[in-house]
């Protein structure tokens, strides 16, 4: 066989495999099954100016909700707001600024909500970062941990009375498959705020995403019978997430591959839309979801003692007052 022949056979096989994989990804993408209207409801989505947060906000706006885009950057928030209003003609969409790297900013944001909003029916803790240039925030919390876990923890606590008053209401937390590989354990929990040696290997990211799941299960226990449900999800491998964190070779050559195989942001938003609006899950709480289906909680996140320990640590980092803490009923 000539060399040319070998090569063409080789490339045909690669092309065939690529197309097969692409078809597999498209066929296994699950779309929300819900036509529920959200007229009369108010939803808050963090990180709503881009990616899956944006498509979640867009979906809620289409359903007639009052939508509050919780974003850090004014220009980007205004741009997203303009696009959502243009696409949906829902003028009841607004943005409020919040910096998840600051405890005070979260407190100011909630003070504004409590003063000016009658209700909060849906809270989507969507925003997150994989890496950050700063090691610690001004509050002395490791930045990735602060943005991905401590700030949503504080935000959820401060909004809990509003959510209870608006019940049935829903809290949806965005975690990640990375939680499966998290190293955080009862032995290391006291050091959860120290920068790991292997920082570039996403240990802090993995741990923060594990915290999202631990908190969801623990919070579900503490919110039993309140009419507030809380679930957590893994959105899938989304192109935009990877590309925004890529550098060098990854940024130049990788995008083509990533865009071809990974989910679009709209596809990636489906599970959080499903959890926020579908009737199927109206009474489901404390669950982990993937592709609009409940899955088993990862082994790393099954330790109830770890959940309690991390909860207590987080109360310290978030500097919660005693009357702001969520106790068991
Ligand atoms: C699911 O969400 C998308 C927006 O992401 C929306 O266009 C679609 O209509 C939704 N599906 C149903 C059945 O409502
Ligand atoms: C905006 O949404 C809120 C909550 O859903 C609702 O009470 C209010 O009437 C809406 N306002 C307008 C102008 O539609
Ligand atoms: C969502 O995740 C955050 C961060 O881990 C946590 O603090 C918060 O309690 C969670 N909310 C729910 C409802 O589980
Ligand atoms: C974090 O998770 C990623 C993806 O799941 C994995 O590749 C990586 O090895 C993990 N890092 C650590 C330190 O566990
Ligand atoms: C959820 O629970 C409420 C109150 O118990 C009940 O009225 C409703 O039918 C339930 N919904 C679903 C989808 O199971």
């Amino acid at each position: 066989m000539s060399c040319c022949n070998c090569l063409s056979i080789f490339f045909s096989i690669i092309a065939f495999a690529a197309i097969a994989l692409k078809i597999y990804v498209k066929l296994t993408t699950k779309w929300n099954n819900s036509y529920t209207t959200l007229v009369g409801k108010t939803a808050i989505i963090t990180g709503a100016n881009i990616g899956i947060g944006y498509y979640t906000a867009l979906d809620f706006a289409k359903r007639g909700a009052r939508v509050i885009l919780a974003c850090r950057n004014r220009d980007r928030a205004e741009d997203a707001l303009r696009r959502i209003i243009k696409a949906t003609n829902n003028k009841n969409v607004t943005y409020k600024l919040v910096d998840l790297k600051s405890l005070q900013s979260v407190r100011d944001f909630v003070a504004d909500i409590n003063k000016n909003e009658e209700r909060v029916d849906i809270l989507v803790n969507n925003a997150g970062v994989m890496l950050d240039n700063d090691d610690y925030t001004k509050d002395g919390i490791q930045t990735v941990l602060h943005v991905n876990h401590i700030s949503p923890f504080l935000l959820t606590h401060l909004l809990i009375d509003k959510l209870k008053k608006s019940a049935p209401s829903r809290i949806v937390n965005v975690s990640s498959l990375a939680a499966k590989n998290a190293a955080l354990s009862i032995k290391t929990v006291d050091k959860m705020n120290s920068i790991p040696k292997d920082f570039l290997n996403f240990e802090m990211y993995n741990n923060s995403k594990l915290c999202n799941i631990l908190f969801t299960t623990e919070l579900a226990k503490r919110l039993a019978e309140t009419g507030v449900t809380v679930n957590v999800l893994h959105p899938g491998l989304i192109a935009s997430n990877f590309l925004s964190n890529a550098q060098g070779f990854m940024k130049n050559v990788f995008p083509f591959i990533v865009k071809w195989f990974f989910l679009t942001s709209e596809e990636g938003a489906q599970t959080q839309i499903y959890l926020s609006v579908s009737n199927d899950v109206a009474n489901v709480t404390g669950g982990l979801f993937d592709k609009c289906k409940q899955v088993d909680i990862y082994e790393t996140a099954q330790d109830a003692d770890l959940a309690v320990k991390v909860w207590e640590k987080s109360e310290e980092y978030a500097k919660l007052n005693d009357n702001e803490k969520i106790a068991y009923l």
Side-chain angles (χ1 to χ4, degrees):
M1 210 189 285
S2 81
C3 207
C4 269
N5 248 336
C6 285
L7 271 183
S8 58
I9 290 173
F10 175 73
F11 282 115
S12 306
I13 291 173
I14 297 271
F16 183 76
I19 291 168
L21 186 57
K22 171 91 177 177
I23 292 171
Y24 173 79
V25 169
K26 289 292 156 193
L27 286 180
T28 53
T29 300
K30 287 280 179 305
W31 288 76
N32 71 85
N33 61 355
S34 173
Y35 294 95
T36 314
T37 158
L38 295 179
V39 172
K41 309 241 181 204
T42 298
I44 299 176
I45 304 120
T46 63
N49 59 299
I50 193 168
I52 61 178
Y54 173 80
Y55 281 98
T56 305
L58 181 66
D59 179 277
F60 294 173
K62 276 189 201 151
R63 295 173 196 268
R66 171 161 179 75
V67 182
I68 298 167
L69 317 175
C71 304
R72 184 167 51 101
N73 181 291
R74 185 181 299 275
D75 290 344
R76 282 184 229 150
E78 271 173 7
D79 180 51
L81 179 67
R82 225 177 293 119
R83 283 184 288 144
I84 290 174
I85 293 179
K86 189 160 172 244
T88 63
N89 212 16
N90 179 346
K91 307 233 165 45
N92 209 350
V93 182
T94 186
Y95 72 87
K96 291 183 196 289
L97 296 181
V98 61
D99 179 4
L100 297 180
K101 290 184 192 176
S102 157
L103 297 176
Q104 189 56 48
S105 177
V106 170
R107 286 187 176 275
D108 294 345
F109 174 85
V110 175
D112 179 339
I113 299 281
N114 281 336
K115 183 157 160 256
N116 298 309
E117 300 295 330
E118 247 157 72
R119 48 190 307 119
V120 176
D121 302 271
I122 302 171
L123 167 63
V124 185
N125 284 315
N126 163 80
V129 291
M130 281 185 141
L131 294 171
D132 196 278
N133 291 329
D134 297 326
D135 287 346
Y136 286 95
T137 65
K138 281 196 224 85
D139 297 301
I141 305 165
Q142 201 290 320
T143 310
V144 172
L145 184 70
H146 193 162
V147 172
N148 291 3
H149 168 58
I150 300 296
S151 277
F153 179 83
L154 178 61
L155 181 62
T156 305
H157 273 77
L158 300 178
L159 284 174
I160 207 71
D161 285 336
K162 258 282 177 304
L163 284 154
K164 281 184 189 165
K165 275 190 207 125
S166 312
S169 51
R170 304 186 188 189
I171 305 168
V172 175
N173 276 351
V174 180
S175 178
S176 160
L177 203 55
K180 241 185 185 162
N181 295 312
L184 190 68
S185 72
I186 212 111
K187 284 197 211 96
T188 55
V189 69
D190 282 330
K191 286 185 244 143
M192 72 188 263
N193 194 31
S194 336
I195 298 186
K197 279 190 246 79
D198 216 355
F199 192 69
L200 277 177
N201 198 14
F202 298 113
E203 186 173 332
M204 195 48 109
Y205 178 75
N206 297 0
N207 284 350
S208 71
K209 290 290 142 184
L210 172 61
C211 289
N212 294 148
I213 303 179
L214 292 171
F215 267 90
T216 299
T217 51
E218 181 62 23
L219 188 65
K221 288 181 193 162
R222 295 179 192 229
L223 291 178
E225 314 291 318
T226 61
V228 185
T229 64
V230 36
N231 291 289
V232 61
L233 67 113
H234 157 51
L237 298 173
I238 299 153
S240 67
N241 283 9
F242 277 78
L243 297 179
S244 64
N245 286 291
Q247 276 163 3
F249 168 79
M250 305 283 268
K251 206 174 185 85
N252 298 317
V253 182
F254 218 46
F256 175 75
I257 303 171
V258 166
K259 279 203 188 121
W260 173 259
F261 291 118
F262 286 25
L263 302 178
T264 65
S265 295
E266 187 178 16
E267 290 165 345
Q270 292 307 311
T271 305
Q272 60 204 55
I273 293 172
Y274 173 79
L275 282 177
S276 302
V277 304
S278 174
N279 250 332
D280 297 357
V281 286
N283 296 331
V284 177
T285 191
L288 172 64
F289 285 73
D290 183 8
K291 299 200 178 98
C292 300
K293 278 231 156 57
Q294 188 160 6
V295 296
D296 290 339
I297 302 271
Y298 306 144
E299 225 167 272
T300 47
Q302 283 178 3
D303 184 344
D305 294 337
L306 179 62
V308 172
K309 197 89 195 281
V310 170
W311 183 282
E312 286 164 358
K313 268 289 186 206
S314 307
E315 286 178 334
E316 272 174 46
Y317 291 131
K319 300 192 175 70
L320 284 172
N321 303 328
D322 281 339
N323 60 359
E324 291 167 341
K325 293 181 180 170
I326 303 173
Y328 295 98
L329 288 176

